[in-house]
Tab-separated table of all heavy atoms in Angstrom:
chain	number	residue	atom	x	y	z
A	1377	LEU	N	-17.302	18.899	64.314
A	1377	LEU	CA	-18.292	19.425	65.352
A	1377	LEU	C	-17.495	19.984	66.609
A	1377	LEU	O	-16.693	19.252	67.111
A	1377	LEU	CB	-19.332	18.382	65.866
A	1377	LEU	CG	-20.364	18.884	66.839
A	1377	LEU	CD1	-21.198	20.010	66.148
A	1377	LEU	CD2	-21.203	17.739	67.205
A	1378	GLU	N	-17.616	21.159	66.828
A	1378	GLU	CA	-16.904	21.812	67.959
A	1378	GLU	C	-17.708	21.855	69.262
A	1378	GLU	O	-18.816	22.331	69.145
A	1378	GLU	CB	-16.477	23.323	67.614
A	1378	GLU	CG	-15.574	23.880	68.619
A	1378	GLU	CD	-15.120	25.274	68.123
A	1378	GLU	OE1	-14.371	25.369	67.078
A	1378	GLU	OE2	-15.402	26.345	68.829
A	1379	VAL	N	-17.256	21.315	70.330
A	1379	VAL	CA	-17.936	21.272	71.573
A	1379	VAL	C	-17.062	21.792	72.658
A	1379	VAL	O	-15.872	21.844	72.589
A	1379	VAL	CB	-18.322	19.758	71.893
A	1379	VAL	CG1	-19.340	19.213	70.823
A	1379	VAL	CG2	-17.162	18.851	71.973
A	1380	LYS	N	-17.785	22.096	73.732
A	1380	LYS	CA	-17.030	22.721	74.910
A	1380	LYS	C	-17.240	21.787	76.183
A	1380	LYS	O	-18.443	21.587	76.494
A	1380	LYS	CB	-17.431	24.119	75.209
A	1380	LYS	CG	-16.694	24.762	76.362
A	1380	LYS	CD	-17.236	26.226	76.664
A	1380	LYS	CE	-16.433	26.901	77.744
A	1380	LYS	NZ	-16.932	28.206	77.998
A	1381	VAL	N	-16.229	21.323	76.725
A	1381	VAL	CA	-16.248	20.442	77.924
A	1381	VAL	C	-16.178	21.337	79.132
A	1381	VAL	O	-15.201	22.142	79.179
A	1381	VAL	CB	-15.069	19.431	77.865
A	1381	VAL	CG1	-15.284	18.549	79.052
A	1381	VAL	CG2	-15.185	18.622	76.601
A	1382	LYS	N	-17.141	21.116	79.975
A	1382	LYS	CA	-17.218	22.015	81.182
A	1382	LYS	C	-16.775	21.272	82.447
A	1382	LYS	O	-16.781	20.013	82.383
A	1382	LYS	CB	-18.660	22.575	81.383
A	1382	LYS	CG	-19.260	23.323	80.265
A	1382	LYS	CD	-20.627	23.673	80.508
A	1382	LYS	CE	-21.222	24.493	79.294
A	1382	LYS	NZ	-22.717	24.739	79.551
A	1383	ASP	N	-16.496	22.026	83.520
A	1383	ASP	CA	-16.295	21.302	84.726
A	1383	ASP	C	-17.516	20.640	85.342
A	1383	ASP	O	-18.604	21.179	85.254
A	1383	ASP	CB	-15.696	22.339	85.773
A	1383	ASP	CG	-14.314	22.724	85.431
A	1383	ASP	OD1	-13.601	22.025	84.737
A	1383	ASP	OD2	-13.984	24.040	85.709
A	1384	PRO	N	-17.367	19.488	85.966
A	1384	PRO	CA	-18.587	18.732	86.517
A	1384	PRO	C	-19.060	19.518	87.870
A	1384	PRO	O	-18.185	20.069	88.558
A	1384	PRO	CB	-18.153	17.412	86.766
A	1384	PRO	CG	-16.661	17.478	86.936
A	1384	PRO	CD	-16.122	18.650	86.048
A	1385	PRO	N	-20.248	19.489	88.223
A	1385	PRO	CA	-20.669	20.068	89.382
A	1385	PRO	C	-20.088	19.394	90.626
A	1385	PRO	O	-19.845	18.133	90.608
A	1385	PRO	CB	-22.235	19.885	89.367
A	1385	PRO	CG	-22.552	19.628	88.001
A	1385	PRO	CD	-21.347	18.964	87.382
A	1386	LYS	N	-19.743	20.166	91.552
A	1386	LYS	CA	-19.099	19.600	92.806
A	1386	LYS	C	-19.979	18.761	93.614
A	1386	LYS	O	-21.093	19.190	93.914
A	1386	LYS	CB	-18.477	20.648	93.639
A	1386	LYS	CG	-17.330	21.436	93.072
A	1386	LYS	CD	-16.713	22.486	93.863
A	1386	LYS	CE	-15.598	23.210	93.250
A	1386	LYS	NZ	-14.951	24.190	94.088
A	1387	GLY	N	-19.486	17.600	94.031
A	1387	GLY	CA	-20.294	16.776	94.886
A	1387	GLY	C	-21.271	15.835	94.145
A	1387	GLY	O	-21.959	14.956	94.754
A	1388	MET	N	-21.357	15.867	92.842
A	1388	MET	CA	-22.259	15.015	92.050
A	1388	MET	C	-21.503	13.914	91.528
A	1388	MET	O	-20.370	14.039	91.021
A	1388	MET	CB	-22.937	15.923	90.951
A	1388	MET	CG	-23.887	16.954	91.432
A	1388	MET	SD	-24.764	17.765	90.093
A	1388	MET	CE	-25.670	16.276	89.477
A	1389	ILE	N	-22.166	12.791	91.529
A	1389	ILE	CA	-21.676	11.503	90.921
A	1389	ILE	C	-22.003	11.516	89.423
A	1389	ILE	O	-23.068	11.811	89.114
A	1389	ILE	CB	-22.235	10.260	91.603
A	1389	ILE	CG1	-21.784	10.371	93.152
A	1389	ILE	CG2	-21.641	9.106	91.036
A	1389	ILE	CD1	-22.558	9.332	93.964
A	1390	PRO	N	-21.047	11.133	88.646
A	1390	PRO	CA	-21.343	11.046	87.238
A	1390	PRO	C	-22.510	10.181	87.002
A	1390	PRO	O	-22.885	9.165	87.598
A	1390	PRO	CB	-20.042	10.447	86.590
A	1390	PRO	CG	-18.986	10.821	87.583
A	1390	PRO	CD	-19.613	10.792	88.927
A	1391	PRO	N	-23.390	10.502	85.988
A	1391	PRO	CA	-24.534	9.758	85.716
A	1391	PRO	C	-24.136	8.238	85.312
A	1391	PRO	O	-23.154	7.969	84.666
A	1391	PRO	CB	-25.208	10.400	84.423
A	1391	PRO	CG	-24.560	11.680	84.404
A	1391	PRO	CD	-23.309	11.702	85.046
A	1392	GLY	N	-25.044	7.274	85.818
A	1392	GLY	CA	-24.862	5.927	85.458
A	1392	GLY	C	-23.918	5.202	86.356
A	1392	GLY	O	-23.601	4.097	86.200
A	1393	THR	N	-23.414	5.937	87.477
A	1393	THR	CA	-22.514	5.323	88.376
A	1393	THR	C	-23.151	5.335	89.812
A	1393	THR	O	-23.850	6.200	90.207
A	1393	THR	CB	-21.109	6.021	88.450
A	1393	THR	OG1	-21.390	7.323	88.844
A	1393	THR	CG2	-20.490	5.916	87.059
A	1394	GLN	N	-22.726	4.381	90.732
A	1394	GLN	CA	-23.232	4.389	92.117
A	1394	GLN	C	-22.112	3.840	93.032
A	1394	GLN	O	-21.092	3.126	92.573
A	1394	GLN	CB	-24.367	3.469	92.269
A	1394	GLN	CG	-24.149	1.985	91.772
A	1394	GLN	CD	-25.397	1.147	91.922
A	1394	GLN	OE1	-26.431	1.630	92.399
A	1394	GLN	NE2	-25.363	-0.012	91.399
A	1395	LEU	N	-22.195	4.287	94.261
A	1395	LEU	CA	-21.130	3.885	95.153
A	1395	LEU	C	-21.342	2.524	95.584
A	1395	LEU	O	-22.298	2.184	96.317
A	1395	LEU	CB	-21.116	4.940	96.443
A	1395	LEU	CG	-20.785	6.281	96.139
A	1395	LEU	CD1	-20.950	7.163	97.346
A	1395	LEU	CD2	-19.329	6.362	95.654
A	1396	VAL	N	-20.591	1.670	95.352
A	1396	VAL	CA	-20.537	0.231	95.749
A	1396	VAL	C	-19.221	-0.147	96.247
A	1396	VAL	O	-18.191	0.369	95.925
A	1396	VAL	CB	-21.015	-0.663	94.588
A	1396	VAL	CG1	-22.377	-0.384	94.084
A	1396	VAL	CG2	-19.987	-0.491	93.444
A	1397	LYS	N	-19.242	-1.193	97.136
A	1397	LYS	CA	-18.016	-1.631	97.760
A	1397	LYS	C	-17.324	-2.456	96.784
A	1397	LYS	O	-17.945	-3.433	96.113
A	1397	LYS	CB	-18.379	-2.463	98.920
A	1397	LYS	CG	-17.070	-3.006	99.810
A	1397	LYS	CD	-17.499	-3.659	100.998
A	1397	LYS	CE	-16.253	-4.120	101.788
A	1397	LYS	NZ	-16.684	-4.804	102.943
A	1398	PRO	N	-16.089	-2.054	96.539
A	1398	PRO	CA	-15.298	-2.911	95.578
A	1398	PRO	C	-15.153	-4.345	95.991
A	1398	PRO	O	-14.918	-4.603	97.082
A	1398	PRO	CB	-13.963	-2.147	95.502
A	1398	PRO	CG	-13.895	-1.454	96.875
A	1398	PRO	CD	-15.294	-1.098	97.279
A	1399	LYS	N	-15.411	-5.175	94.971
A	1399	LYS	CA	-15.307	-6.603	95.205
A	1399	LYS	C	-13.861	-6.921	94.987
A	1399	LYS	O	-13.151	-6.397	94.204
A	1399	LYS	CB	-16.267	-7.398	94.305
A	1399	LYS	CG	-17.747	-6.988	94.592
A	1399	LYS	CD	-18.589	-7.994	93.550
A	1399	LYS	CE	-20.013	-7.668	93.860
A	1399	LYS	NZ	-20.887	-8.432	92.964
A	1400	ALA	N	-13.604	-8.114	95.604
A	1400	ALA	CA	-12.268	-8.641	95.375
A	1400	ALA	C	-12.140	-9.253	93.887
A	1400	ALA	O	-13.114	-9.795	93.360
A	1400	ALA	CB	-12.020	-9.810	96.391
A	1401	GLU	N	-11.104	-8.811	93.434
A	1401	GLU	CA	-10.922	-9.337	92.094
A	1401	GLU	C	-10.830	-10.828	91.928
A	1401	GLU	O	-10.050	-11.360	92.686
A	1401	GLU	CB	-9.644	-8.702	91.410
A	1401	GLU	CG	-9.758	-7.188	91.205
A	1401	GLU	CD	-8.505	-6.623	90.670
A	1401	GLU	OE1	-7.585	-7.404	90.280
A	1401	GLU	OE2	-8.461	-5.377	90.447
A	1402	PRO	N	-11.511	-11.490	90.989
A	1402	PRO	CA	-11.456	-12.941	90.838
A	1402	PRO	C	-10.061	-13.408	90.300
A	1402	PRO	O	-9.509	-12.634	89.464
A	1402	PRO	CB	-12.625	-13.351	89.935
A	1402	PRO	CG	-12.810	-12.056	89.120
A	1402	PRO	CD	-12.401	-10.865	90.023
Side-chain angles (χ1 to χ4, degrees):
L1377 181 62
E1378 188 173 295
V1379 296
K1380 183 177 182 182
V1381 179
K1382 304 177 182 178
D1383 291 329
K1386 294 183 179 181
M1388 292 186 63
I1389 302 175
T1393 63
Q1394 57 182 354
L1395 295 176
V1396 295
K1397 186 177 181 180
K1399 298 180 179 180
E1401 294 182 2

